[in-house]
Amino acid sequence: MGAGELGVLAGIIIPLSLFAMIFGIVYLNKREKLAMIERNMDPRSYKPQSAPYQNLKWGLLLIGSGIGLFLAYVLNRGIFNSFDDDVFFLYVALIAIFGGAGLFLSYRIEKREVLDKEELYKEK
């Protein structure tokens, strides 16, 4: 396939996938509202549940990813002293490891807070 053929193919696939995505979102939203009506719920009064620890989760994920990226850079320039293409996997691996560690830390903090609140209610 030449570059011109790929351009034509991308010009067809991108608008079709955009249309399919928008159609899917609208369709699923309508189905959700119909399911709520079938269960005698008012869809207008429904409010999504709040996620009190969402900012903590994102913050720790980004901090962990940043630490992983920084550590990969330090290892690449200091220890390995390499400019190969294989170093890309070091960056990806360390970002994933430290990002996952940040999410795990977020989970542990949320779990501890929930347990502390349960203990507080038991004492009253």
Side-chain angles (χ1 to χ4, degrees):
M1 268 188 175
E5 293 170 347
L6 287 177
V8 171
L9 189 61
I12 293 171
I13 290 178
I14 291 173
L16 281 176
S17 60
L18 182 64
F19 172 77
M21 181 181 65
I22 292 171
F23 177 78
I25 290 170
V26 170
Y27 176 74
L28 289 175
N29 191 15
K30 296 234 185 239
R31 278 194 56 183
E32 180 184 19
K33 287 182 181 180
L34 285 174
M36 290 176 77
I37 291 171
E38 287 175 1
R39 293 188 176 110
N40 295 327
M41 298 171 65
D42 185 16
R44 289 174 288 169
S45 67
Y46 174 73
K47 293 182 182 167
Q49 295 178 355
S50 65
Y53 297 104
Q54 192 69 27
N55 291 335
L56 173 69
K57 188 176 294 185
W58 276 103
L60 288 174
L61 173 67
L62 293 175
I63 288 171
S65 299
I67 291 171
L69 186 63
F70 176 71
L71 184 61
Y73 177 78
V74 168
L75 287 174
N76 183 28
R77 298 293 183 216
I79 295 175
F80 298 130
N81 202 10
S82 172
F83 297 101
D84 296 336
D85 292 335
D86 296 339
V87 178
F88 170 75
F89 296 108
L90 173 70
Y91 281 88
V92 171
L94 286 176
I95 288 171
I97 289 169
F98 282 95
L103 288 175
F104 181 73
L105 181 63
S106 169
Y107 167 76
R108 298 291 293 185
I109 291 171
E110 289 176 34
K111 187 176 177 183
R112 186 179 59 205
E113 289 292 323
V114 168
L115 290 175
D116 288 346
K117 286 181 183 178
E118 287 177 1
E119 288 179 10
L120 183 64
Y121 287 129
K122 286 180 183 177
E123 291 177 1
K124 288 184 178 181

